[in-house]
Amino acid sequence: MGKGRVRKFQRKIIGIFLGIVLLWGGNATGTEIQMKDGRILSGSEGILSTLGEIPTYAQIDSQTVSMNIVFLDDGLRRTYFSHRQAAQVLSGDTLESVPERFTIRQRIKEKGPSVQGVGTLLRVEPFDDFGRRTITMQTTKGPLALVQCITELTPKWVKVECTNYQWDMRLATSSIPREQLLPILRKQAIRLCKGDEVEAAKKIARFFIQGEQYEEAAREIHRMIQVSENQEDVRKELATTLVMARQLSAKTLLQELVMRRKNGQYQMVREYLAKFPEDGVAGETLQEVRAILEEDQKDAGRIQNCLEAIQKLWQQLEDQEIRETLRPVLVEILENINENTISRMEAWEDMLDVDGVGVYEKTALAVTCWLMGSRHASDRIVTATSAVRVRELIQQYLESGSELGREAIFQRFQSEEAANIRTVWALLSHMKPPIPLSKKEWLGKDGFFKIQVISSAVKQPVDYWVQLPLEYDPHRLYPAVLCVPGIGEEPTREVDWWCGDFTPKGIRMGQGGRQGYIVIVPDWTVEGQREYEFSLREQDAVLSTLHDACQRFSVDPDRVFLSGRFTGGDAAWDIGLAHPDLWAGVILFSCEARKYCMRYWPNAKRLPFYFVCGELDNQLLGANAGNLNRYFTGGYDLTIVEYLGRGREDFQEEIHSLFDWMNRRRREFYPDAFAVRTMRPWDNFFWWLEVERLPAKANVPPARYPVKGSVTAKISGEFLPKANTLRIESQTGIVRVWIGPKMLDFDQKINILVNGKNVVDSRTSLKPDLRTLLEDVRRRGDRQNPFWCMLEVDTGRARGN
C-alpha cells in the first residue's frame, strides 16, 4: 500500500473513531484528543462540515465521517481543528474526575433582550463577595452599564450572566484576582457545607488543586489548621490534604525548573534549587531535584576544567605572533564559557588527556571548537589563526554599509586558508550577532530595547521594541515572536502582553521571558492611518524589523512566529501568506482576511495558523469562514479558539496554550515541495525561489485591487534528492534559484528543470561561492541557513511587465 493510501486509510480510521465517540459520548462526558503535534485537547465534542454552521454536540450519525472540522468545548472556549490533524482519541480513563463546581443563585435575565455583540469595555468593576460586578460597554447608542453575576464557578472556568440582558459569558478562573475569588469561594463553600468550615476548606482546596493552583490550596488548608489550633483531630484530618497540596506544588515547581533550565535560565534554577522545599515532599521528587543538582555540578566542573586548561595552554604558548593572534579568542573563551557554550568544546575536552598531542594542536583545537563547534574543529594551528582572522573579516563585511567597503574587505579573504565556504558557514553559525547594540538603544530596564531601522525597500525609518528573555546569552539561539500591534495601540502594550509588566526589581516575569522567547514589536503605521492598506511600506516595515533584529540579537530563524492583533492581525495574516517561508507559524487575534488573503490561501499549506476570537465579536468567525474553510478542507495546520460569550479582547488566558503550540513547531527551511501564489511584485521570495516579472493579469498592486479578470501567478518548487534535481514551475519572466548546502550535492551532476526545461548545461557553473554566501547573510540575516550559489533563469514569459 503506497504512502498516500496509508495516510488516507489512517485519516478514515481516525474519522470513524471520532464519529463513534461523538455518537456515544454526547455532551455529557467529554473527550480527550491527542493532536499530531503532541498537544492534548479536551472538552465536549462536536463536528462541523464548514464554519458558519451551528455547532452540533451530540447524536451525530457515526457514518458522518467525511466531516472537515472537529471542535472541543471545555466550558471556556471552543477549539476547532481539522480531523486530519488529530492523531488519536484517548481513553476516557485519562479524563479528569468530576470537578468541584459551585452553582450560585443569582437574579439573572432569562427572557427579553440578549447581547448579540460585545463592544469595547469602557469600565470593569471588581467582583464583590456575592460574585457581582458592573461593567460599562460601548454601544452604537452610547455607553451601556450591565450588572454581571457569577452563576457557575469551576476550577477552570467561570460562567457569568447578566441581570438586565440575556448574556452567557465565560472567564478563565485563573483570570479572577485572588482577593476577589477567595471571598466568593468561602461564602459558597460554607453554604454548601452547611456551616462546616473544615469541610468548606477541604472543598476549596480540592477546587484549587483541580485548577492546578496548588499554592492556593495549601494556603487555604494552612489557614484552617491555624484557626483549629485547639482541635487536634481536625488538624490531623487537614494535614493529609496539606501534604498532598504541598507535594503537588513541589512537583509543579520541579517541572518549572526543568523547563527554565532547558530555556537557559541556569542562575534562576540554582537560586530556586537552593531553597527547594523538602518537608512533606515525595522522595521521588527530591530524587529528581538531586539529579538536576548533579547535572549542574557536572557542568560547573566541566567549565572549571576548561578555564584552567585554557590558562595553562596560554602559558605554554611561546610563539609571540600566534599568542597575539589568538589572545582575543582565548580571552573570549575565558569570559564566555558557560552552560550554553560548553558543548562546543567536546572534541577539545576529549583530546586534553591524550598522550602525544602537543600544546599547539590542543590550542588550535580549543580555538576552532569555540569558533566553529566540535564538528568543524581542526588541530592545525595555521587553520586556527586563519579562522580568527576570517571571523573578523566576516564581522567587518556584515557591519559595512558601503559596497566599496565590502569589496575591499572581500579581497582580503583571498589570502586566508580558512576562507573556504564550509569554514565560513561554520564560523557564521557560531558567532554572535554581527551588529552591536549601543547604550542609547537600551531603555534602562533588563533586556528592553528600542531600535530604529531604515526599511530596505522604501527607505523610511521604522522604530521597533525588543524584550529579551531572562539570562539572555548571545551565544545561544532563541525563538522569537514578532508582534504586529493594532492601529492606535501602543506597541509597548504588546510587549507587556507577551512578557508581563516590570517588577520593582526591573525584570519581567511574564510568559515570554519564562519560555525563553525574544519578543519584537515594530511600529509599522503612519500618522492618521485607519486600516491595513496591503502596501509595500507596511510589509517592508515588518520584514525590515525582522531582518535587523536577526542581525542584532541571537534569534533562531527557524523558530520565529508572526503575531497580529486586531488591524495588526489583518496585516499579519497578509504578510504571513505573502512570505510563508519566513515563519514557524502565524498567530492571529480578532482580525479579518481581506483582499490578497482571499487569493493567497494555498500559501498556508506549509504555514501553521492559530486564530483566536470572541464568540460575540461581530460574527468574526463567520466573516472569515470562507477563507478558513479552505484550510480545513485541505487539512492544513489550523487551530481556531473561540471564547464563549466574549467580544474583542486581548485574551490573556490563551497565552499558555499559545506557547504550548509554538514550542512544538519549527520552520521547515528545505521542504520537499511547495506551491504558492502571488499577485504583488514584492511578494516574490519563497523558500529557495525568487521571481520577477509577473504576468499582466497577476500583477495587481494594492492601488489597483481588485482588477476584473485578475489571476494569481502560480509558482512551485520540488526537491528530488536522489536525482540531485530541482523541479520548478513558474508563470513569471525571471526565476532565481538559490541553492543551499542541504539541497544538492555540488560534487555530482546537478539538474534544474524550469518549466520542464533543464537549464543546467556544460557552460553553467554551479559551484559554492563565498561572495554569494556573504551577501545572502547580509541581506536576509539568516546565519544558520545561508545559500551558497544562485542561478538566474529568463523563462521568456511576461516580458511586457
Side-chain angles (χ1 to χ4, degrees):
M1 186 182 292
K3 288 185 178 179
R5 293 180 63 190
V6 169
R7 293 193 187 100
K8 186 175 181 181
F9 178 73
Q10 289 172 338
R11 289 197 296 268
K12 185 175 181 181
I13 291 298
I14 291 171
I16 293 172
F17 197 5
L18 287 171
I20 293 171
V21 169
L22 295 172
L23 176 62
W24 294 105
N27 193 34
T29 59
T31 301
E32 277 195 339
I33 294 179
Q34 183 173 28
M35 307 293 284
K36 289 181 178 177
D37 60 14
R39 287 179 297 156
I40 296 177
L41 305 178
S42 62
S44 301
E45 62 287 327
I47 59 173
L48 296 171
S49 58
T50 61
L51 287 176
E53 294 180 347
I54 297 175
T56 303
Y57 286 88
Q59 301 304 316
I60 299 171
D61 192 296
S62 61
Q63 298 303 312
T64 312
V65 295
S66 60
M67 70 285 194
N68 291 319
I69 307 166
V70 179
F71 72 84
L72 293 172
D73 182 342
D74 65 2
L76 174 65
R77 63 211 151 188
R78 294 190 195 98
T79 302
Y80 302 84
F81 51 91
S82 167
H83 74 278
R84 300 187 200 178
Q85 295 299 316
Q88 61 176 326
V89 180
L90 299 177
S91 167
D93 294 339
T94 64
L95 298 177
E96 292 182 359
S97 59
V98 177
E100 289 289 343
R101 188 184 298 257
F102 296 91
T103 302
I104 306 175
R105 296 176 183 175
Q106 305 277 12
R107 293 183 178 179
I108 60 169
K109 192 79 170 179
E110 296 182 351
K111 295 182 180 180
S114 62
V115 173
Q116 299 296 317
V118 178
T120 303
L121 300 182
L122 303 175
R123 179 183 173 86
V124 179
E125 295 182 358
F127 286 105
D128 63 20
D129 293 359
F130 297 92
R132 301 168 190 158
R133 71 177 182 182
T134 300
I135 67 169
T136 304
M137 181 171 66
Q138 183 64 53
T139 71
T140 55
K141 297 180 179 180
L144 174 66
L146 300 104
V147 178
Q148 289 187 315
C149 309
I150 295 176
T151 58
E152 202 168 343
L153 191 55
T154 78
K156 299 291 187 181
W157 54 267
V158 175
K159 183 178 181 180
V160 181
E161 297 183 84
C162 197
T163 63
N164 47 348
Y165 280 86
Q166 291 187 72
W167 182 15
D168 176 357
M169 180 184 188
R170 305 299 173 93
L171 302 172
T173 306
S174 60
S175 69
I176 300 177
R178 177 176 181 269
E179 61 273 14
Q180 296 177 39
L181 181 61
L182 267 176
I184 301 171
L185 280 174
R186 286 171 181 165
K187 185 177 289 292
Q188 296 304 316
I190 287 290
R191 178 181 64 81
L192 290 172
C193 296
K194 298 179 181 180
D196 188 330
E197 292 189 352
V198 174
E199 286 302 314
K202 289 164 65 177
K203 191 174 185 67
I204 292 172
R206 287 194 298 270
F207 178 93
F208 280 128
I209 287 172
Q210 289 174 355
E212 299 179 2
Q213 298 185 58
Y214 306 119
E215 283 297 316
E216 291 295 340
R219 284 196 194 99
E220 188 64 17
I221 293 299
H222 184 67
R223 180 186 71 85
M224 186 51 58
I225 289 175
Q226 289 181 319
V227 170
S228 309
E229 59 181 352
N230 297 322
Q231 298 172 278
E232 189 61 28
D233 56 334
V234 172
R235 291 167 63 88
K236 288 182 178 179
E237 184 181 355
L238 292 174
T240 303
T241 306
L242 181 60
V243 168
M244 179 178 67
R246 284 179 171 169
Q247 287 190 358
L248 289 169
S249 178
K251 189 77 173 176
T252 302
L253 176 57
L254 176 63
Q255 292 170 350
E256 178 76 7
L257 296 180
V258 169
M259 183 198 70
R260 295 266 189 180
R261 197 170 194 275
K262 180 182 177 182
N263 293 336
Q265 296 164 29
Y266 299 100
Q267 183 59 38
M268 173 176 281
V269 171
R270 279 192 285 269
E271 291 174 3
Y272 274 94
L273 286 175
K275 52 186 180 183
F276 195 89
E278 294 188 3
D279 292 343
V281 177
E284 179 185 353
T285 301
L286 294 176
Q287 191 172 1
E288 291 181 53
V289 169
R290 284 191 288 272
I292 296 176
L293 285 169
E294 290 172 4
E295 186 69 22
D296 194 62
Q297 292 169 359
K298 180 181 176 182
D299 286 345
R302 289 179 65 192
I303 292 167
Q304 185 59 37
N305 290 340
C306 180
L307 293 173
E308 293 173 358
I310 290 292
Q311 291 170 333
K312 184 177 179 181
L313 287 174
W314 172 252
Q315 294 169 358
Q316 293 175 343
L317 283 176
E318 297 179 353
D319 189 302
Q320 287 302 313
E321 184 177 351
I322 292 176
R323 283 172 65 94
E324 289 306 309
T325 301
L326 299 185
R327 181 196 297 270
V329 175
L330 294 174
V331 170
E332 187 179 315
I333 297 174
L334 293 174
E335 292 178 348
N336 294 280
I337 194 72
N338 56 33
E339 294 90 345
N340 292 318
T341 55
I342 189 65
S343 60
R344 294 186 184 189
M345 310 299 290
E346 288 177 355
W348 175 67
E349 289 178 289
D350 292 342
M351 185 184 276
L352 274 177
D353 297 326
V354 176
D355 294 334
V357 181
V359 63
Y360 286 95
E361 286 84 355
K362 291 180 180 179
T363 303
L365 195 59
V367 168
T368 54
C369 275
W370 178 258
L371 295 179
M372 301 183 286
S374 284
R375 228 176 115 201
H376 305 280
S378 170
D379 62 358
R380 297 183 67 248
I381 197 69
V382 174
T383 301
T385 53
S386 180
V388 172
R389 292 190 292 268
V390 167
R391 190 182 69 159
E392 179 60 27
L393 290 175
I394 294 171
Q395 178 77 30
Q396 294 173 12
Y397 189 96
L398 296 178
E399 282 189 57
S400 176
S402 161
E403 188 174 342
L404 288 175
R406 289 193 294 274
E407 179 60 31
I409 295 166
F410 184 77
Q411 295 304 318
R412 293 165 58 191
F413 279 94
Q414 312 305 316
S415 60
E416 293 292 347
E417 177 186 295
N420 63 80
I421 200 158
R422 291 192 178 275
T423 300
V424 170
W425 180 28
L427 289 166
L428 277 164
S429 63
H430 287 82
M431 66 188 290
K432 293 194 299 183
I435 300 180
L437 296 165
S438 67
K439 288 185 178 180
K440 68 178 182 179
E441 293 167 334
W442 181 49
L443 295 176
K445 295 182 179 180
D446 185 55
F448 195 32
F449 297 85
K450 181 182 179 182
I451 299 167
Q452 187 174 90
V453 60
I454 302 300
S455 61
S456 58
V458 298
K459 307 302 179 185
Q460 292 183 359
V462 177
D463 291 331
Y464 70 95
W465 288 258
V466 174
Q467 178 62 55
L468 301 177
L470 297 169
E471 300 184 38
Y472 169 79
D473 182 347
H475 294 96
R476 176 191 179 98
L477 289 174
Y478 292 87
V481 54
L482 193 156
C483 317
V484 186
I487 293 173
E489 299 286 327
E490 187 65 34
T492 53
R493 288 185 60 189
E494 199 68 28
V495 181
D496 295 342
W497 192 91
W498 286 94
C499 301
D501 296 327
F502 281 104
T503 67
K505 294 183 178 180
I507 61 174
R508 298 184 192 263
M509 297 297 290
Q511 295 304 311
R514 173 177 175 263
Q515 297 281 350
Y517 277 67
I518 297 173
V519 174
I520 307 163
V521 184
D523 186 1
W524 59 280
T525 62
V526 294
E527 188 175 351
Q529 185 170 349
R530 302 183 64 181
E531 64 177 14
Y532 177 56
E533 299 167 351
F534 298 86
S535 69
L536 174 60
R537 176 194 62 77
E538 296 163 308
Q539 192 177 115
D540 196 40
V542 173
L543 298 186
S544 294
T545 294
L546 172 64
H547 297 155
D548 191 69
C550 287
Q551 299 280 30
R552 297 174 187 268
F553 303 98
S554 193
V555 174
D556 184 343
D558 294 329
R559 291 188 293 166
V560 178
F561 296 85
L562 178 64
S563 174
R565 196 181 306 276
F566 312 145
T567 46
D570 298 350
W573 203 332
D574 175 54
I575 295 169
L577 291 175
H579 301 276
D581 56 300
L582 292 178
W583 320 105
V586 176
I587 301 162
L588 305 171
F589 294 89
S590 304
C591 59
E592 188 173 350
R594 298 182 292 117
K595 292 189 177 180
Y596 299 93
C597 296
M598 306 300 288
R599 310 293 293 273
Y600 284 9
W601 65 266
N603 298 8
K605 185 172 184 178
R606 291 189 170 273
L607 181 62
F609 273 80
Y610 198 114
F611 185 89
V612 186
C613 67
E615 181 184 28
L616 300 181
D617 186 6
N618 296 316
Q619 298 181 333
L620 190 60
L621 201 55
N624 287 306
N627 208 43
L628 294 173
N629 280 328
R630 295 188 179 109
Y631 297 14
F632 282 130
T633 301
Y636 294 179
D637 188 347
L638 168 64
T639 299
I640 297 177
V641 175
E642 180 185 34
Y643 274 79
L644 303 178
R646 304 277 284 276
R648 180 159 296 198
E649 304 178 30
D650 62 8
F651 302 110
Q652 187 73 48
E653 305 102 308
E654 194 62 22
I655 195 165
H656 292 282
S657 297
L658 283 171
F659 276 110
D660 183 33
W661 181 82
M662 289 191 286
N663 289 338
R664 300 173 188 275
R665 279 159 179 77
R666 295 181 65 88
R667 172 183 69 164
E668 186 180 6
F669 190 76
Y670 292 109
D672 293 338
F674 63 87
V676 293
R677 302 185 183 189
T678 184
M679 295 182 75
R680 285 174 297 199
W682 52 85
D683 300 341
N684 68 332
F685 202 114
F686 306 99
W687 285 278
W688 40 268
L689 278 184
E690 185 178 12
V691 298
E692 285 187 13
R693 293 210 317 247
L694 298 177
K697 289 186 177 182
N699 191 348
V700 187
R704 296 174 53 204
Y705 191 98
V707 175
K708 186 176 181 181
S710 63
V711 298
T712 55
K714 299 178 182 179
I715 302 157
S716 65
E718 187 177 7
F719 176 36
L720 305 171
K722 291 183 178 180
N724 212 33
T725 296
L726 300 177
R727 181 182 294 153
I728 300 148
E729 296 290 332
S730 178
Q731 296 175 335
T732 63
I734 297 292
V735 172
R736 294 189 188 94
V737 186
W738 293 87
I739 305 171
K742 297 180 182 179
M743 293 170 62
L744 297 173
D745 184 349
F746 289 98
D747 295 326
Q748 303 296 324
K749 179 176 173 17
I750 293 174
N751 301 300
I752 298 180
L753 307 177
V754 178
N755 297 335
K757 179 181 178 182
N758 193 345
V759 295
V760 180
D761 57 29
S762 58
R763 297 166 295 175
T764 305
S765 176
L766 282 178
K767 295 180 180 179
D769 179 67
L770 182 58
R771 191 192 299 271
T772 299
L773 182 150
L774 291 170
E775 277 299 297
D776 176 63
V777 171
R778 188 182 69 83
R779 186 176 69 156
R780 293 192 302 119
D782 187 345
R783 291 176 287 115
Q784 304 302 313
N785 304 293
F787 293 117
W788 285 12
C789 69
M790 185 271 288
L791 175 66
E792 182 173 308
V793 179
D794 188 335
T795 68
R797 298 184 176 188
R799 291 191 177 277
N801 295 297

